[in-house]
Amino acid sequence: MTGSDVSPSFRLAYVPGVTPTKWVRIWNERLPGVPLTLVATPAGEASDVLRDRGADAGLVRLPVDRTVLSAIPLYTETTVVVIPKDHVVAAVDEVSLEDLADETVLHPLDDTLVWEQLPGEPAFERPETTADAVELVAAGIGVLVVPQSLARLHHRKDLTYRPVTDAPESQVALSWPEDETTDLVEEFIGIVRGRTVNSSRGRTATPPQPKAARTDKSGAARQKPAAGKNPRGGAKGGTKPGPKGAAKGGPKGGSKGGAKRGKPRRRP
């Protein structure tokens, strides 16, 4: 099979917590002949997957290596603390990092938040994954600070979460290899940015069609008057013809020279 015989396709990587459903649906509506394959990728491996061409583009969490990858930020998530439902923090609407100072705060190895200083008291050891950390929260070992989408992804009936007002936030972005900005990548960029079909980069809008000529009652096309011509047949900007019998351009009822014509006088 030659390269020209290969059907086009698009591979989209996505990290836990990100839901690409809406964008995939729009893609399938606009490009039904180009299958889109989803590639589930751990957050910490997303950049490597894109660099190694394991996907054409990816919905990732920033930061990424900007020396080889392009990225368009899409949205920023609220950060929350995951706690047991009977925890004292569950009684309030939101908390600060200072409120967690005496808590054992779990810090999984796949943590997606960038911390200058970790909050609370460190756990005895770091959980391997966020899912493992959630299990430890349910066991009463500590609490967990994560983007809200991950708290929803690992929801349990015995756990809840509350916003943390001053914690770092996670930013989700569309990223792809900088030297592989293909037409299909441009199509997906247009979709996530909300462009319509005609305004998407790489597509040409349908040119406006000329208006149909107006017709008179007989069905003949009416022609637009030529420039400088009066529609009634006179010169553009000319004077309106005077009453019948008046000289063109002269006073009403006057001769060409403008002299008033009097009544004939009888000879004596």
Side-chain angles (χ1 to χ4, degrees):
M1 180 179 291
T2 64
S4 59
D5 296 329
V6 178
S7 299
S9 62
F10 189 73
R11 297 163 301 164
L12 179 68
Y14 70 102
V15 298
V18 176
T19 307
T21 307
K22 173 185 175 181
W23 297 319
V24 172
R25 175 179 55 78
I26 296 174
W27 176 280
N28 291 333
E29 290 172 354
R30 294 187 184 179
L31 293 93
V34 182
L36 187 153
T37 303
L38 292 174
V39 183
T41 307
E45 300 176 13
S47 291
D48 291 336
V49 169
L50 294 175
R51 278 196 298 262
D52 296 341
R53 305 303 191 265
D56 300 294
L59 297 168
V60 304
R61 296 185 185 274
L62 296 179
V64 295
D65 184 359
R66 291 298 187 101
T67 61
V68 293
L69 299 177
S70 296
I72 299 175
L74 300 178
Y75 59 89
T76 300
E77 285 198 66
T78 298
T79 302
V80 301
V81 58
V82 180
I83 50 176
K85 281 191 173 181
D86 58 357
H87 195 282
V88 63
V89 170
V92 298
D93 293 332
E94 60 184 25
V95 297
S96 67
L97 292 177
E98 186 177 355
D99 296 326
L100 304 177
D102 297 330
E103 300 287 342
T104 297
V105 179
L106 301 168
H107 187 213
L109 295 176
D110 64 353
D111 188 8
T112 60
L113 300 175
V114 180
W115 296 97
E116 292 184 4
Q117 182 177 355
L118 292 172
E121 298 291 336
F124 180 72
E125 62 181 357
R126 297 182 65 182
E128 187 74 22
T129 66
T130 298
D132 293 336
V134 170
E135 294 294 329
L136 294 176
V137 173
I141 304 300
V143 300
L144 175 65
V145 180
V146 290
Q148 182 170 293
S149 66
L150 291 181
R152 290 174 175 171
L153 178 65
H154 299 290
H155 172 70
R156 290 174 52 119
K157 292 182 178 180
D158 54 347
L159 301 180
T160 187
Y161 57 84
R162 294 292 183 270
V164 184
T165 56
D166 53 352
E169 296 176 319
S170 177
Q171 197 168 25
V172 175
L174 174 65
S175 184
W176 67 94
E178 188 173 10
D179 57 353
E180 291 290 336
T181 309
T182 63
D183 289 343
L184 292 180
V185 170
E186 289 284 9
E187 288 286 353
F188 198 78
I189 291 172
I191 289 173
V192 299
R193 283 186 161 174
R195 297 185 190 133
T196 62
V197 175
N198 286 337
S199 65
S200 294
R201 191 173 300 178
R203 290 179 177 270
T204 304
T206 304
Q209 299 299 316
K211 293 182 179 179
R214 292 171 127 191
T215 59
D216 57 22
K217 293 183 179 179
S218 65
R222 293 173 59 184
Q223 299 297 323
K224 185 178 179 181
K229 294 293 186 179
N230 188 294
R232 298 183 178 180
K236 185 177 180 180
T239 58
K240 184 177 179 181
K244 186 176 180 179
K248 185 177 180 182
K252 183 177 178 180
S255 64
K256 187 175 181 180
K260 185 176 180 180
R261 296 179 61 184
K263 190 175 180 179
R265 300 174 66 185
R266 293 184 178 181
R267 301 177 82 181

